[in-house]
Amino acid sequence: MNKLFYPAVFHKAEEGGFWISFPDFPECLTEGDDMQEAYEMAVEALGLVLTGRAEEKEEIPKPTEVDQISVDDGVLVIVEFDMMEYQRKHNSRAVKKTLSIPEWLNDAAIKAGVNFSQVLQEALMEKVK
């Protein structure tokens, strides 16, 4: 569940710019002064609702098929949300881990000046891609 794609409806706002709604998340609304800002705000709003539901252990619905969405006076836009990137950006608090490695490997790594935390982080990021 790293990258998710959800349909959004971009509506022209009377005062200029856009307001955005998500058919799969009625509680999720946002706005932007132009198309770029509106899209960026849509990604952020979608991220808040998805991570909020995940934290609360609530169901995350499958995206509605685009041919089942009525856009009325708006334009259908698919919004991409990268859960891993969002977590990296918003939840990078360090967590202490205890692990065991062979003594010879520990000695060799210390002698080579290896940063254990950095190596573990890089390896874990590669593993969870």
Side-chain angles (χ1 to χ4, degrees):
M1 184 173 95
N2 285 339
K3 288 192 179 184
L4 303 170
F5 300 87
Y6 278 90
V9 181
F10 282 52
H11 307 269
K12 277 269 201 193
E14 288 181 18
E15 61 279 358
F18 299 89
W19 65 274
I20 302 100
S21 62
F22 289 86
D24 297 303
F25 305 100
E27 73 275 22
C28 187
L29 299 169
T30 190
E31 60 184 40
D33 292 335
D34 56 37
M35 183 58 79
Q36 180 174 343
E37 182 183 38
Y39 187 83
E40 290 169 359
M41 294 299 290
V43 171
E44 190 69 21
L46 180 60
L48 289 171
V49 75
L50 287 170
T51 56
R53 286 192 178 197
E55 287 170 6
E56 297 296 322
K57 309 261 189 281
E58 294 178 14
E59 180 184 355
I60 296 177
K62 292 179 97 172
T64 302
E65 295 294 328
V66 294
D67 59 351
Q68 296 177 5
I69 297 171
S70 171
V71 296
D72 297 324
D73 62 342
V75 175
L76 186 65
V77 175
I78 303 301
V79 176
E80 176 184 355
F81 178 72
D82 186 332
M83 185 69 82
M84 187 71 76
E85 183 62 32
Y86 187 88
Q87 291 293 356
R88 221 178 270 133
K89 185 176 173 184
H90 291 89
N91 192 13
S92 52
R93 178 178 55 89
V95 179
K96 190 168 182 83
K97 290 288 179 192
T98 303
L99 57 104
S100 298
I101 59 173
E103 185 177 13
W104 69 266
L105 185 57
N106 182 62
D107 294 342
I110 288 171
K111 189 174 182 179
V114 171
N115 180 325
F116 288 83
S117 292
Q118 182 179 2
V119 169
L120 179 59
Q121 286 179 44
E122 290 170 356
L124 287 171
M125 283 191 268
E126 186 64 32
K127 193 75 165 178
V128 299
K129 276 186 184 178

